[in-house]
Amino acid sequence: MKPTLPHTQMANAIRALAMDAVQKANSGHPGMPMGMAEIAVALWSGHHRHNPVNPKWVNRDRFLLSNGHGSMLHYALLHLSGYDVTMEDIQNFRQMHSKTPGHPEVDITPGVETTTGPLGQGLANAVGMALAEYLLAAEFNKPGHDVVDHYTYAFVGDGCLMEGISHEVCSLAGTLGLKKLIALYDDNGISIDGKVEGWFTDDTPARFAAYGWNVIPAVDGHDVAAVHAAIEAAKKSDKPTLICCKTVIGKGSPNLQGGDKVHGAALGDKEIAAVREYISWGHEPFIVPEEVSTAWNFKDQGAAFETEWNSKFDAYAAAFPTEAAELKRRMNGELPANFDATLAAAIAACVDKKETIATRKASQNAIQALAPILPEFLGGSADLTGSNLTNWKESVNLRSGKPGNHINYGVREFGMSAIMNGVALHGGYIPFGATFLTFSDYSRNALRMAALMKQRSIFVFTHDSIGLGEDGPTHQSVEHVSSLRLIPNLDNWRPADTVESMVAWGEAVKRKNGPSTLIFSRQNLQFQERSEQAIADIAKGGYVLLDAADAKAVIIATGSEVELAMNAATALKSEGVAVRVVSMPSTDVFDRQDAAYKAAVLGKGLPRVAVEAGVSDFWYKYVGLEGAIVGIDTFGESAPANVLFKHFGFTVENVVAKVKSVIAA
């Protein structure tokens, strides 16, 4: 493909739509769209293979706007090329329930591949997508049948490259040699605070060359032919490529271009009129002349690309029917037909074995049980594989030039999590990655983005409390579980034993509308006997583990504290005090159950005590102000786990005393 004429008018259509939409909304960022207009023309009319009529075409190139504040660039491109983004949608920019929100959001706007705005994460998602493409191609392509063959393009700005996550993910992308990843850097020298030369003087080309990237420096970002040639050169490289495009922010605004005032505010009626004259755009707002619309329209070309690929896939399916069916299944996000039976057998095996082991080991056992029927499993750890236990017997470590299904992410917790989101968005894999729970802080914004985007990313966190012991308060999680529960649409599981761990893994894998965290212990946890009904109810997030007909109180516990609750119940029974014990591995899932079930589990009129080795405030929603909580509202200490639990009051005697206090109240 070659860029389609007329270049100038095509670029100016982007400028006009961007400035007019921002002006109408009186909100937004016109500078980047106006500055990157020619770069967009070069990529979208000359290289980007996509189909506006079918935004989910499997073999499309992926385009990500990492500098997502410039969302009007993306919306203009989608509208002009023929996606279901109307001029009315453009006019409703940043309005309630529109297809054109302030920052691009996946599954809101057709053609948007990921939700961007938190800078750097779009670039990280792009690394994940390029990784998924590479691995799928290695797994499914056959000689003469390249059915997985597409590029990942990312637009990035100074802000993306200042964010630390860019170092994490670009370093790994270079190490892995993800050659179908092409990033185009909008080097305009301006951020919100002004000229970046006061705080960002990195030698960016040298930095990326050091990562192992192919770097194309000093490209005139306003020369369509030059950008086109750079992309052509990038496609010939055996490395990921950074194309450094020198641009003028707000290009076309005679009085504001090149300065920070055009970055994030409407230009104003007077300056917009000046722009129209300056760029010779003699059209009313939201009017694109027919010849420009025709030059941009990509529907026929996109349909032809997909038709051509469909023929290739039909030939592939005829020659390799099993592989073709498997690729379809995985790209559709469907689980194997025998998944439920395999999971049920694995749960039954846990019941039979009755193992008392750390739940991190129970997690590895769950992975081992499911991996043979889930070739889409793509595991990993942020330099803690031997502690997190995310590998399995048949797993193969990914290396440059050597595909695998387990990734050594290095000490890159944030990068790992955002790459996982990119893999999930691409499709074909169920990614999971692990670190210690306390380092979920490093990953937190990527967890939030996974929840916002409703992606099936599985975040494994081990060493979940003061129970990890001697490493001390820097590594002992106290507030983390409760804080993760505050993220909407994130399911958090803290299992009590092998059975709950297996169920939690099964629920995380089955969940297609959001991410899950699986939170596991370092120390061994006692196997709990339970009825068949109780086993079935684990998937509801909370259930009655131990009941008594004449219960005087309810003890609610999670994870390692379930064992403590059960021991306290035994002690209370010996004193003639009957209690119910509720295990609640996932408060998020429990809260979604109907009122009748929740009332049946928690009991009406019974005083409640919650027990969890974490901050106490969260639990008042269940025990009420009249209830009691055995928690920890300080940081931990450096000592063996058994010493710490006793020091902080996680003892049978203390739980018994709390129960007696609420009964007496």
Side-chain angles (χ1 to χ4, degrees), residues 412-466:
R412 301 182 178 102
E413 296 90 352
F414 191 7
M416 172 183 70
S417 301
I419 287 172
M420 286 166 52
N421 289 343
V423 169
L425 286 157
H426 181 280
Y429 292 99
I430 299 175
F432 60 91
T435 186
F436 290 170
L437 177 59
T438 193
F439 302 135
S440 64
D441 287 337
Y442 287 137
S443 301
R444 189 177 181 86
N445 201 264
L447 271 66
R448 183 178 188 273
M449 295 303 293
L452 178 62
M453 295 189 290
K454 302 179 181 179
Q455 293 304 301
R456 183 162 51 183
S457 297
I458 301 175
F459 303 98
V460 177
F461 296 123
T462 68
H463 297 60
D464 67 341
S465 71
I466 58 173

Side-chain angles (χ1 to χ4, degrees), residues 8 11 27 37 78 84 128 192 249-250 266 309 328 373 391 397 401 427 463 496 580 592 596 602 623-624:
T8 302
S27 176
L78 294 171
D84 185 18
I192 291 175
I249 191 171
W309 181 82
K328 278 186 176 181
I373 66 160
N391 56 346
N397 288 326
H463 297 60
R580 171 183 293 183
R592 291 200 296 269
L602 295 177
V623 304

Side-chain angles (χ1 to χ4, degrees), residues 59-95:
N59 201 47
R60 68 192 181 278
D61 289 339
R62 269 59 170 182
F63 171 77
L64 299 90
L65 194 76
S66 188
N67 41 353
H69 55 272
S71 56
M72 264 311 305
L73 174 65
H74 205 170
Y75 300 148
L77 287 167
L78 294 171
H79 168 73
L80 291 166
S81 59
Y83 285 81
D84 185 18
V85 178
T86 66
M87 190 61 81
E88 183 180 2
D89 294 324
I90 298 293
Q91 291 175 310
N92 284 332
F93 177 57
R94 290 191 165 219
Q95 304 309 300

